[in-house]
Amino acid sequence: MQIKIAIGTIAFMLTMIILGFAALSEPARLQTYTGARDGRFIEKGAEVFEANCATCHGVNGKAEECYAAATGEQIGCQGLPLNNADLLCGNPPPRIAAQGWEGTTFDYIRGTVTSGRPWNGMPTWAQEFGGPLQEDQVYNVALFVSNWQNDELCSGPPPEAVAWPTSVAELPEGNPDNGPQLYNVTYGCTACHGNPAETGSNLVGPWLGEIASIGATRLDGYTAADYMYESILHPSNFIAPDCPNGPCTGPPSSMPANFGQRMSLQDMADILSYLLGTTTFESTAEVVYP
Ligand code: HEC
Ligand code: HEC
């Protein structure tokens, strides 16, 4: 009896030791496996990104260069940069902390892609919610986007959000010659507002060819520059009266609300100087952002 117990105990201990060794080497084995598997999923995610996301989020997810899927023509990027330290670096990254999200970066991306933010121009993607992508395609593309996080992207000082001055007069001097490229291509204002040199060329929003004079009449105490500055940073604060298909609707405005995250101070100044015809801006009102 004593011997049986002793043998039993020894057998048990041996089993535990063997299991223990197996468990110790498990994380390493699992990691190699996950690495290879993720590699295949990331490749599939890259294809999903090219086919569905690059038109708005741009080549390499930088939101700098976007091409229309149908014609290949360069168009304004409507989405935010994704291959970007603000979204991917830090724990949590600043952009994700600012949204009050408490989960992982991967889940933030997967969740955003799944349900979209249709009210801000980001479509819903998961079939579950009426979008075109299967769950595994959403997973793969989220993995592909998360995978832009690397040491090079994240080694610099933490990115800072653009600090918009409360007065438009504090913007740098504008260069009107850069205006057309920014207005037509980089930010795609022309798709909604048309060509400022051609009356009636606007399809969605008001024509901006006379905004230098009309802008000054929109809000009491605002110069035209104050009004434009606020219109671009906070489209929903004031809804213009006349759009080409009837009264403009809102709030919320149908104009994208994320130019404050996408533009630099210089780009803002260049667009304003192109539309207002001045290189510096008069201000009598305050605009607070965000
Ligand atoms: C029609 C244009 C458009 C397409 C196509 C599009 N997006 Fe977006 N996406 C946007 C816009 C606009 C936003 C910003 C929404 C906001 O400001 O709330 C956005 C936001 C996001 C965000 C959140 C970024 C952040 O900083 O919070 C992620 C992640 C994202 N998109 C991923 C994707 C992926 C992946 C695809 C392809 C499956 C895709 N998007 C396709 C327009 C688009
Ligand atoms: C997706 C369409 C769309 C895009 C892109 C867009 N806007 Fe708008 N914008 C609108 C709509 C619709 C309105 C009217 C509703 C409102 O006042 O918010 C508007 C209003 C404005 C106004 C106020 C006009 C007035 O007569 O009072 C200004 C100024 C303006 N946009 C500038 C811009 C600039 C500059 C860009 C590019 C950086 C831009 N918008 C991009 C749709 C758009």
Side-chain angles (χ1 to χ4, degrees):
M1 194 62 193
Q2 291 277 340
I3 292 181
K4 274 194 181 164
I5 292 175
I7 291 176
T9 313
I10 291 170
F12 175 75
M13 282 172 65
L14 272 176
T15 316
M16 291 314 284
I17 290 170
I18 291 166
L19 278 180
F21 272 118
L24 276 179
S25 56
E26 184 62 11
R29 201 174 63 86
L30 206 79
Q31 214 166 28
T32 331
Y33 170 71
T34 316
R37 193 193 52 176
D38 280 1
R40 282 200 304 281
F41 290 164
I42 290 167
E43 274 172 35
K44 288 189 187 164
E47 287 166 20
V48 176
F49 187 86
E50 278 310 309
N52 300 282
C53 320
T55 43
C56 291
H57 291 287
V59 175
N60 282 324
K62 295 273 186 197
E64 285 164 359
E65 232 183 285
C66 292
Y67 298 93
T71 59
E73 199 187 330
Q74 189 172 3
I75 51 170
C77 296
Q78 293 169 40
L80 296 171
L82 303 177
N83 183 356
N84 173 271
D86 194 35
L87 177 67
L88 298 177
C89 302
N91 202 4
R95 164 86 183 139
I96 292 183
Q99 301 279 311
W101 176 263
E102 296 189 351
T104 63
T105 302
F106 175 77
D107 282 341
Y108 175 86
I109 295 169
R110 182 158 66 147
T112 309
V113 177
T114 297
S115 48
R117 288 189 209 130
W119 55 94
N120 279 347
M122 166 68 179
T124 299
W125 291 98
Q127 278 177 359
E128 215 184 328
F129 298 113
L133 299 183
Q134 288 157 6
E135 206 183 324
D136 60 321
Q137 293 179 299
V138 169
Y139 180 92
N140 294 346
V141 80
L143 210 57
F144 173 69
V145 170
S146 314
N147 195 51
W148 274 317
Q149 185 210 61
N150 62 29
D151 292 347
E152 196 192 330
L153 184 73
C154 301
S155 61
E160 275 175 41
V162 177
W164 293 102
T166 51
S167 164
V168 66
E170 286 164 35
L171 288 179
E173 199 168 312
N175 177 354
D177 297 339
N178 288 337
Q181 173 72 13
L182 298 169
Y183 182 89
N184 294 325
V185 179
T186 314
Y187 300 111
C189 316
T190 187
C192 296
H193 291 288
N195 176 353
E198 200 183 313
T199 333
S201 55
N202 50 322
L203 295 175
V204 179
W207 182 61
L208 299 179
E210 285 168 354
I211 196 71
S213 50
I214 293 176
T217 66
R218 289 273 191 247
L219 288 175
D220 278 349
Y222 279 59
T223 64
D226 288 327
Y227 174 70
M228 289 203 61
Y229 188 52
E230 178 156 308
S231 296
I232 295 169
L233 291 178
H234 295 296
S236 292
N237 279 12
F238 177 82
I239 300 297
D242 301 316
C243 280
N245 309 309
C248 302
T249 56
S253 171
S254 345
M255 174 159 153
N258 57 28
F259 288 117
Q261 283 157 250
R262 292 164 58 196
M263 270 188 193
S264 63
L265 300 185
Q266 189 64 56
D267 286 359
M268 173 69 86
D270 293 352
I271 289 186
L272 293 185
S273 71
Y274 166 59
L275 293 170
L276 292 170
T278 58
T279 56
T280 56
F281 314 107
E282 251 177 69
S283 171
T284 50
E286 284 199 340
V287 176
V288 177
Y289 185 91

